[in-house]
Amino acid sequence: MASDYPMSPELEQIDGQIQDIFRALQNGFQKLDKIRDSNRQARELEELTGKMRECKRLIKEFDGVLKDEEGKVPADVHKQLNDKKQFMIKELNSYVTLRKTYQSSLGNKRVELFEGAGPSEPAPEDHAQLASEMSNQELVDAGRKKMDETDQAIERSKQVVEQTIEVGTQTAANLKGQTEQMGRIVNELDTINFSIKKASQMVKEIGRQVATDKCIMGLLALIVCGVIAIIIVKIVNPHNKSIRDIPGLAPPAQTNRRLLSTDLLGGF
């Protein structure tokens, strides 16, 4: 499987080591066919088993680095690298099966590929586990378990998506309400501003009317005072010719009185 897609320097180094081991395993099994001595075949087989252990370790390391770079590379590149890892696991499984075939033919005790595994249960995310070491029922159980875990992860993802949609809907509704409230506030501010301008105009008009009324009342007061002053002067000094007589207030003429008296005396 050619590496026709970009890989980080660390992944390229691990991939190169794995490919070297695969070439060594291929050459080793070809060489094993030419060996007739069973002891030499056993030693060669043991050496190939050690290479397979190293190859499994490198595949696990490749998987760990791939997980660390999951968010740093494009999704399609990550998928291709994951497919490459699965291909390497299948190729290693084929060599394990070939090793078991040689072991059966030699009649030797089965060589444990994974020593020092301990009684602890392997982690469920260990994708580098060899399928050839599991029975059919174990493979079925492991597949069902993985499917259950996948279903649970999908359900959790659905819940997260639903919660995100709900929060987004509430946020949109709140933003809409706040926008409408701000619109109402702007309209009320415009109304208040218009009312203030109208009130200012009315105050100015009232001020002008009050000033006009005051001027008229002052003028009327001056006229009344003038008339009263003229009346007082005419009463006090009726013979003052500099002031014209006010109609209705002039004293009776004396000549008329004298004429009237002479006429009356002449009659007797």
Side-chain angles (χ1 to χ4, degrees):
M1 187 175 183
S3 300
D4 53 352
Y5 36 83
M7 288 192 297
S8 65
E10 187 175 2
L11 285 177
E12 287 182 355
Q13 181 180 1
I14 298 173
D15 179 65
Q17 294 175 357
I18 293 173
Q19 297 304 324
D20 291 340
I21 292 176
F22 282 153
R23 285 191 291 269
L25 289 173
Q26 183 179 5
N27 295 332
F29 281 108
Q30 290 176 356
K31 180 181 177 180
L32 197 61
D33 291 332
K34 301 177 182 179
I35 299 175
R36 301 303 178 187
D37 187 4
S38 60
N39 292 329
R40 287 186 59 191
Q41 284 184 343
R43 289 194 298 270
E44 187 68 20
L45 193 62
E46 185 68 24
E47 182 178 353
L48 294 175
T49 302
K51 293 183 181 297
M52 283 186 277
R53 288 197 196 98
E54 179 64 14
C55 186
K56 183 199 170 184
R57 184 190 66 79
L58 290 172
I59 292 176
K60 284 185 176 181
E61 187 176 352
F62 186 93
D63 181 64
V65 175
L66 187 61
K67 289 179 179 179
D68 293 337
E69 295 181 355
E70 183 174 0
K72 302 177 183 179
V73 297
D76 54 342
V77 175
H78 184 270
K79 183 178 182 301
Q80 291 176 346
L81 293 174
N82 190 66
D83 293 339
K84 180 178 180 64
K85 180 198 69 177
Q86 297 297 333
F87 180 83
M88 291 188 294
I89 292 174
K90 291 179 181 179
E91 187 172 358
L92 180 59
N93 286 336
S94 65
Y95 286 118
V96 171
T97 303
L98 188 60
R99 176 188 63 84
K100 289 184 176 180
T101 302
Y102 278 102
Q103 275 189 323
S104 298
S105 62
L106 290 173
N108 293 331
K109 183 180 179 180
R110 181 176 181 273
V111 179
E112 293 294 334
L113 178 58
F114 303 103
E115 296 178 346
S120 60
E121 184 179 357
E125 65 271 14
D126 186 6
H127 300 290
Q129 185 177 5
L130 299 179
S132 60
E133 295 187 352
M134 302 173 63
S135 63
N136 291 335
Q137 186 61 38
E138 289 175 342
L139 289 172
V140 172
D141 293 340
R144 288 178 179 175
K145 184 177 180 181
K146 182 61 66 176
M147 290 177 64
D148 292 339
E149 292 176 354
T150 304
D151 291 339
Q152 293 175 2
I154 292 174
E155 290 298 326
R156 289 194 296 269
S157 300
K158 287 182 179 179
Q159 292 178 0
V160 171
V161 171
E162 291 175 356
Q163 293 175 358
T164 304
I165 293 174
E166 184 178 357
V167 171
T169 303
Q170 292 178 354
T171 303
N174 293 334
L175 289 174
K176 183 179 180 181
Q178 292 177 359
T179 303
E180 293 177 352
Q181 184 177 4
M182 291 181 66
R184 290 193 297 269
I185 292 173
V186 170
N187 293 333
E188 291 176 358
L189 289 175
D190 293 338
T191 304
I192 293 172
N193 189 27
F194 176 77
S195 300
I196 291 173
K197 290 182 178 179
K198 192 70 175 177
S200 299
Q201 293 177 358
M202 292 179 65
V203 168
K204 290 179 181 179
E205 292 178 359
I206 292 171
R208 286 195 295 267
Q209 291 178 0
V210 170
T212 303
D213 293 343
K214 285 183 179 181
C215 292
I216 294 172
M217 290 180 65
L219 183 59
L220 291 175
L222 290 174
I223 294 172
V224 171
C225 291
V227 172
I228 293 173
I230 293 171
I231 292 172
I232 293 173
V233 170
K234 291 298 289 184
I235 292 173
V236 173
N237 190 6
H239 300 289
N240 189 355
K241 299 301 182 179
S242 62
I243 301 176
R244 297 180 60 183
D245 293 336
I246 300 175
L249 295 177
Q254 296 294 328
T255 58
N256 291 336
R257 287 183 182 179
R258 287 195 298 268
L259 291 173
L260 181 58
S261 300
T262 304
D263 292 339
L264 289 175
L265 289 175
F268 286 108

